[in-house]
């Protein structure tokens, strides 16, 4: 995960491009991301995906570490409620996300930098839309205040 | 609400030593002597400014330790937890006088399987707040104009802090005035709204005791409380009478006034409230930057039961140069549902980070949103660990 | 539960230690402690592990014996060495009573070579300055100061319980300056006067003298300031003299922290044995060829010295006699002729003096340390003093009648301000050539963990530029070398000047000074 955030300094377009960290579950949202590619949907090159077996594995601390490493936004994605490959683990994701949301807000990071999205394996369009939307929103709020100036 | 009484010790020695008729001491002594309890945890007084928690089975020691000690701000939770970590103490019954934050800490530890709440008898004490010993010494010199070492007794009554000298002379100052001048109770106590330990087995205090009477107002809250109370009563350690309606009202009135004052304090002490989002972030970053990662706040935290396997420690790496360390991030996150606002973390912070304020900021909004108050009942699990229970209604 | 004092540095933080039997020692915060309000740094929190080290045993020539046997053997063998070939060293955490007994023993043997850890510069400083090395100012006055200068002192790592006093001063409106090779780390200083470490590697050079002139240009900073610094056995004498010169010129007051509790009580030496040699470093004693017999009291040579264990052992094994008294086994124990086992510091009854001049009571019950020393002295002189006698003598030497209240700071300096001719202290360059620094500079940051060698941060801090030029990535390791090489983890610190490396861990074999040139490579 850390490497994914660190080694991404290449997108040197004229316009500033945010770096967005996305956690995708193996069974739905990762396949959804795949689908977006297969369907040739245009998505900005802002996203770095970390595949986990289940969104229930995503400790809120992972998201926090993502921010501290310099991610401009963190996306948590998984199977729709009721579709979890592990029966009900995404209920836990949803519960923890509420903590994470409140935490990030209290801390003073813009709400635009954090999002929970349920994406099924066939929802390539939703994945692409999400990336576009978040990229647009994060561009408005600018680079993460947690990014150290010397880190590219 | 449980049954309410006015009660006092029958033993003259206990009445003399202890405050408010010595009910709490008598109940604990009775429980030890009649084998209801195996041990009690009491605070042994060194002087006005220092007390050392002691585990004892000796009724004499309990009597010696009678009386309040406002300037020894100890949370007894960790002492109870340590007691049960010793294999030999498994299954033993212990009792202790418990301020609301002691009782709430112990209940949180019970939720985390560190102890069996059925073994722990909580003789709850009403609490208006505690003072820092060094702060009290300073106040004695600066405000009361007396030698701190000459103080032999302190007492908080009717919103005033009384200091007695060896000569028998007594000086007083209004708590409000002390606090305006930067002394008085610890910040966590100023903003604490849990004044009556309704989560304990008994709730004891002097609020509602008619003037001139040396007695304790007692509310019996649980079966364990009932057992303690009956044991003392039936074996002749205490005398009781039913609390008159007026006492109940007075007690409620005092509590409400203190809660209101606490809410005002919270408004006043919460300096983050006025800040914009960016300023808030700056505040947290700059304040937490001082952290030297000694780990003391975690060790003393009465609700944390992670031990050596704590995530805040294992995910923290001194080699990282994060603007806020993972240690602080994870502690703040994990305490959002469980912080009881006891202020122990701030007491031990070597660089004086205002941890009570910061933890309250993060916890208040979450606990309000969840309609959850930690430390009130063993039945209510910490929401962070729940799959959906509480979210069902909210989402 | 024992009320004890943390032996980590000269602040003297109070705490309780509870013996939990099989479950080991437990630390409890003693909020009533006036020095630290019960707060402890990482070292204090780790005291159970510190006290969990391998214990010393009573031995003679490596064979276990009783305490009495070890004592009489120590006496016999100490007598067999000529007094001028003997040396006594205590740099660590001995109580005032133990030091008093040590001085007594030293006198009984007619030995004048006694070292309690004060910096080697002590000898060369005018006598009027000696008390400034011995006693600081009350810590409460740090909070009230209007101007503070942190002179090569990073309080958050070096003396964390001092940091809160500085923060309070800041809250009260004080201006905070720092004079350092690296600044701005926690952002508490209003201004940093950055000195070039490369210029000061050889502090006797003309380049160094030139660099230090920068300080003289900033009278506005030092005027009537309280200057906080640390003096340890390796503190650069030139910097220390410059500190005093600046104090004298600007009416500033120094508060010198020390890394060991003993160093604060070294003023006992002035009172009890003024004729002894004062302010040699243990290193000098080590290198002194004339020394054939050495008595170490509560001193771990590997802790105090920046030498590698091998070097220390080489020197120690050349001695005719090595007597070591302490609670824990050290690098010297294996080689010692006689080892004397004392109880651990928290178990002892005794007084300590902290950096501000406060007398603190360590409330254990053991007096074994004094008994051993008095036993040896008794064998030599025929007179053995009781613990009470020893305590009374120590108190008298400190100018006290009874054990003072812990809330008071009874030991004060006679002179408030430094009064010397500043230029007397600035000898100017004594060597012509400057040390060429082609690669990097390693700066030791001395924390309580640094000296004890335990719970240290086992990595070095390097600059952003260094990390870039070496193409370092997370997970890589660096190799730092001089005579020997070590491989380490690293942390990137954006505050560091390009060529500076900071280490809170001793890299024995790589550097034997607080600041020295090294090579830095990526470990392939």
């Amino acid at each position: 995960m850390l490497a994914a955030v660190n080694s991404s300094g290449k997108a040197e377009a004229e316009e500033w491009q945010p770096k967005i960290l996305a956690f995708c579950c193996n069974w739905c949202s990762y396949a959804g991301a795949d689908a977006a590619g297969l369907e040739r949907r245009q998505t900005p090159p802002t996203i770095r995906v970390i595949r986990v077996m289940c969104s229930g594995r995503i400790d809120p601390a992972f998201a926090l570490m993502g921010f501290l490493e310099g991610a401009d936004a963190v996306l948590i994605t998984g199977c729709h409620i009721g579709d979890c490959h592990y029966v009900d683990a995404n209920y836990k994701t949803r519960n923890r996300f509420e903590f994470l949301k409140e935490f990030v807000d209290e801390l003073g990071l813009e709400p635009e930098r954090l999002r929970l999205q349920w994406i099924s394996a066939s929802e390539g369009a939703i994945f692409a839309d999400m990336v576009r939307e978040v990229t647009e929103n994060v561009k408005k709020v600018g680079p993460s205040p947690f990014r150290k100036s010397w880190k590219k | 609400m449980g049954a309410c009484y006015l009660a006092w010790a029958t033993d003259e020695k206990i009445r003399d030593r202890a405050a408010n008729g010595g009910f709490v001491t008598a109940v604990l002594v009775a429980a030890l002597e009649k084998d209801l309890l195996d041990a009690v945890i009491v605070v042994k007084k060194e002087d006005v400014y220092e007390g050392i928690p002691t585990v004892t089975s000796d009724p004499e020691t309990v009597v010696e330790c009678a009386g309040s000690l406002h300037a020894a701000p100890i949370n007894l939770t960790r002492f109870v937890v340590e007691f049960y970590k010793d294999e030999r103490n498994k299954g033993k019954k212990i009792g202790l006088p418990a301020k609301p934050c002691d009782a709430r800490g112990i209940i949180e530890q019970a939720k985390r399987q560190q102890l069996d709440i059925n073994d722990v008898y909580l003789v709850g004490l009403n609490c208006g707040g505690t003072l820092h010993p060094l702060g009290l010494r300073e106040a004695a010199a600066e405000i009361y104009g007396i030698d701190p070492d000459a103080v032999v007794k302190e007492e908080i009554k009717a919103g005033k802090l009384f200091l007695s000298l060896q000569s028998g002379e007594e000086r007083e100052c209004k708590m409000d005035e002390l606090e305006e001048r930067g002394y008085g109770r610890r910040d966590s106590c100023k903003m604490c709204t849990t004044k009556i330990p309704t989560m304990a087995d008994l709730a004891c205090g002097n609020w509602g005791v008619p003037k001139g009477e040396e007695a304790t107002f007692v509310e019996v809250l649980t079966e364990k409380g009932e057992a303690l109370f009956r044991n003392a009563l039936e074996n002749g350690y205490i005398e009781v009478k039913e609390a008159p309606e007026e006492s109940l009202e007075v007690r409620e009135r005092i509590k409400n006034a203190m809660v209101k004052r606490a809410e005002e304090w919270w408004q006043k002490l919460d300096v983050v409230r006025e800040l914009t989002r960016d300023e808030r972030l700056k505040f947290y970053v700059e304040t937490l930057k001082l952290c030297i990662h000694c780990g003391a706040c975690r060790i003393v935290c009465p609700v944390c039961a992670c031990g050596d396997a704590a995530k805040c420690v294992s995910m923290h790496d001194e080699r990282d140069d994060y603007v806020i360390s993972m240690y602080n991030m994870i502690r703040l996150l994990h305490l959002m549902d469980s912080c009881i606002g006891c202020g122990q973390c701030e007491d031990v912070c070597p660089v004086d980070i205002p941890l009570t304020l910061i933890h309250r900021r993060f916890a208040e909004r979450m606990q309000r949103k969840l309609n959850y108050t930690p430390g009130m009942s063993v039945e209510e699990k910490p929401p962070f660990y729940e799959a959906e229970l509480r979210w069902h209604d909210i989402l | 539960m024992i009320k004890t004092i943390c032996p980590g540095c000269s602040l003297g933080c109070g705490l309780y230690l509870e013996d939990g039997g099989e479950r080991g020692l437990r630390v409890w915060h003693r909020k009533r402690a006036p020095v630290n309000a019960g707060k402890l740094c990482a070292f204090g929190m780790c005291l159970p592990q510190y006290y969990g080290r391998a214990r010393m045993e009573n031995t003679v020539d490596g064979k276990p014996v009783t305490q009495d046997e070890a004592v009489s053997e120590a006496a016999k063998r100490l007598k067999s060495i000529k007094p001028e070939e003997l040396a006594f060293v205590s740099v660590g955490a001995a109580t005032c009573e133990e030091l008093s007994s040590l001085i007594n023993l030293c006198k009984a043997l007619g030995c004048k070579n006694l070292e309690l850890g004060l910096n080697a510069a002590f000898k060369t400083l005018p006598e009027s300055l000696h008390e400034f090395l011995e006693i600081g100012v009350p810590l409460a006055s740090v909070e009230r100061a209007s101007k503070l200068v942190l002179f090569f002192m990073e309080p958050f790592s070096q003396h964390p319980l001092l940091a809160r006093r500085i923060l309070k001063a800041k809250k009260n409106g004080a201006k905070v300056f720092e004079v350092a090779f690296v600044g701005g780390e926690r952002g508490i200083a209003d201004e940093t006067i950055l000195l070039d470490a490369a210029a000061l590697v050889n502090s006797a050079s003309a380049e160094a003298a030139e660099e230090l002139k920068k300080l003289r240009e900033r009278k506005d900073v030092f005027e009537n300031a309280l200057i906080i610094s640390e003096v340890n056995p390796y503190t650069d004498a030139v910097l220390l003299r410059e500190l005093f010169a600046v104090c004298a010129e600007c009416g500033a007051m120094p508060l010198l922290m020390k890394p060991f509790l003993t160093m604060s009580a070294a003023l006992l030496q002035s009172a009890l044995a003024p004729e002894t040699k004062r302010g040699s470093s243990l290193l000098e004693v080590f290198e002194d060829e004339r020394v054939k017999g050495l008595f170490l009291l509560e001193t771990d040579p590997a802790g105090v010295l920046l030498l590698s264990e091998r070097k220390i052992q080489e020197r120690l094994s050349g001695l005719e006699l090595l007597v070591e008294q302490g609670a824990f086994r050290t690098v010297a124990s294996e080689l010692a002729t006689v080892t004397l086992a004392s109880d651990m510091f928290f178990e002892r009854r005794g007084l300590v003096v902290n950096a501000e001049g406060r007398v603190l009571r360590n409330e254990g019950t053991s007096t074994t340390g004094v008994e051993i020393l008095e036993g040896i002295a008794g064998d030599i002189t025929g007179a053995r003093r009781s613990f009470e006698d020893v305590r009374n003598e120590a108190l008298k030497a400190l100018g006290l009648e009874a054990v003072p209240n812990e809330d008071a700071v009874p030991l004060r300096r006679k002179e408030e301000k430094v009064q010397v001719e500043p230029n007397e202290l600035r000898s100017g360059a004594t060597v012509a050539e400057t040390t060429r620094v082609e690669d990097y500079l390693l700066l030791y940051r001395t924390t309580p963990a640094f000296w004890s060698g335990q719970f240290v941060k086992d990595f070095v801090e390097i600059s952003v530029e260094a990390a870039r030029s070496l193409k370092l990535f997370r997970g890589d390791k660096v190799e730092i070398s001089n005579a020997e090489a070590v491989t380490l983890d690293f942390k990137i610190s954006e505050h560091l000047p390009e060529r500076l490396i900071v280490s809170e861990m001793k890299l024995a074999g790589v550097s034997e000074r607080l600041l020295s040139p090294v090579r830095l490579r990526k470990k392939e």
Side-chain angles (χ1 to χ4, degrees), chain A:
Chain A
M1 172 180 119
L2 308 176
V5 184
N6 269 346
S7 61
S8 53
K10 282 188 197 109
E12 291 287 359
E14 274 167 25
E15 192 192 9
W16 171 73
Q17 293 291 338
K19 282 170 198 153
I20 298 167
L21 175 64
F23 291 97
C24 295
C25 92
N26 184 55
W27 306 102
C28 295
S29 55
Y30 192 80
D34 222 16
L38 288 171
E39 293 160 17
R40 313 232 159 172
R41 291 180 193 278
Q42 280 290 319
T43 52
T46 51
I47 201 150
R48 278 77 177 157
V49 175
I50 293 177
R51 175 163 60 162
V52 288
M53 287 310 283
C54 173
S55 64
R57 177 65 185 90
I58 305 163
D59 191 310
F62 295 173
L64 298 180
M65 197 183 252
F67 282 122
L68 292 169
E69 284 286 343
D72 296 302
V74 177
L75 310 178
I76 290 168
T77 67
C79 309
H80 286 275
I81 291 290
D83 289 349
C84 181
H85 194 80
Y86 305 98
V87 188
D88 59 359
N90 55 4
Y91 284 91
K92 293 182 178 147
T93 314
R94 187 170 70 177
N95 179 22
R96 290 177 198 148
F97 183 79
E98 288 302 319
F99 276 82
L100 189 55
K101 202 170 78 187
E102 290 290 323
F103 183 90
V104 163
D105 187 42
E106 177 57 38
L107 195 61
L109 287 175
E110 295 82 357
E112 287 86 346
R113 298 189 192 279
L114 182 71
R115 180 154 164 178
L116 173 68
Q117 182 81 49
W118 307 129
I119 302 170
S120 80
S122 60
E123 291 174 334
I126 293 187
F127 185 88
D129 286 348
M130 170 190 73
V131 175
R132 250 196 316 277
E133 224 176 278
V134 172
T135 306
E136 284 312 307
N137 290 341
V138 172
K139 272 185 185 168
K140 277 179 214 148
V141 293
S144 165
F146 279 3
R147 172 107 48 100
K148 291 262 177 165
S149 55
W150 60 269
K151 281 189 184 168
K152 270 191 257 155

Side-chain angles (χ1 to χ4, degrees), chain B residues 98-115:
Chain B
K99 304 184 292 300
C101 55
D102 295 319
R104 293 176 70 190
I106 290 163
I107 288 170
E108 284 299 303
Q109 292 291 339
K111 290 181 189 176
R112 290 163 172 81
Q113 281 84 44
Q114 301 298 303
L115 52 93

Side-chain angles (χ1 to χ4, degrees), chain C residues 10 12 48 114 130 146 170 207 216 260 350 356 431 456 460 492 517:
Chain C
S10 60
L114 167 67
H130 286 183
S146 60
K170 225 172 128 71
E207 206 183 345
R216 270 171 260 175
F260 304 103
E356 52 179 336
V431 289
V456 283
V460 289
I492 298 171

Side-chain angles (χ1 to χ4, degrees), chain B residues 66 69 89 108 195 208 237 262 265 274 279 286 335 341 380:
Chain B
L69 201 52
N89 292 332
E108 284 299 303
K195 300 296 179 188
Y237 287 84
W265 266 116
E274 305 294 320
E279 287 168 343
E286 296 205 334
L335 283 165
E380 285 188 299

Side-chain angles (χ1 to χ4, degrees), chain B residues 80-147:
Chain B
V80 177
V81 172
E82 288 293 334
F83 177 82
Y84 284 115
K85 274 193 185 158
D86 190 332
E87 282 299 321
R88 288 165 300 185
N89 292 332
K90 290 264 153 42
K92 281 195 182 164
K93 306 272 185 210
I94 59 165
L96 63 147
K99 304 184 292 300
C101 55
D102 295 319
R104 293 176 70 190
I106 290 163
I107 288 170
E108 284 299 303
Q109 292 291 339
K111 290 181 189 176
R112 290 163 172 81
Q113 281 84 44
Q114 301 298 303
L115 52 93
D116 183 346
I117 199 68
N118 295 316
D119 292 340
V120 186
Y121 288 66
L122 300 167
V123 183
L125 309 174
N126 293 352
C127 182
T130 53
L131 310 142
H132 195 283
L134 299 185
L136 178 59
R137 287 185 66 87
E138 240 176 80
E142 300 291 324
I143 311 271
Y144 292 75
I146 51 179
D147 173 9

Side-chain angles (χ1 to χ4, degrees), chain A residues 59-61 65 68-69 91 94-95 98-99 102-103 105-109 111 145-146 148 150-151, chain B residues 277 280-281 284 311 321-324 326 332-333 361-362 365-366 369 383-384 386-388 391 395:
Chain A
D59 191 310
M65 197 183 252
L68 292 169
E69 284 286 343
Y91 284 91
R94 187 170 70 177
N95 179 22
E98 288 302 319
F99 276 82
E102 290 290 323
F103 183 90
D105 187 42
E106 177 57 38
L107 195 61
L109 287 175
F146 279 3
K148 291 262 177 165
W150 60 269
K151 281 189 184 168
Chain B
R277 180 184 293 279
R280 200 159 70 219
L281 182 80
Y284 289 134
K311 222 176 248 177
D321 68 334
Y322 299 151
V323 288
I324 298 178
M326 281 303 278
L332 283 169
L333 176 78
R361 282 286 311 181
F362 280 84
R365 58 191 291 161
M366 200 64 204
K369 184 167 179 175
F384 193 74
E386 298 282 338
E388 57 172 339
W391 294 114
L395 288 178

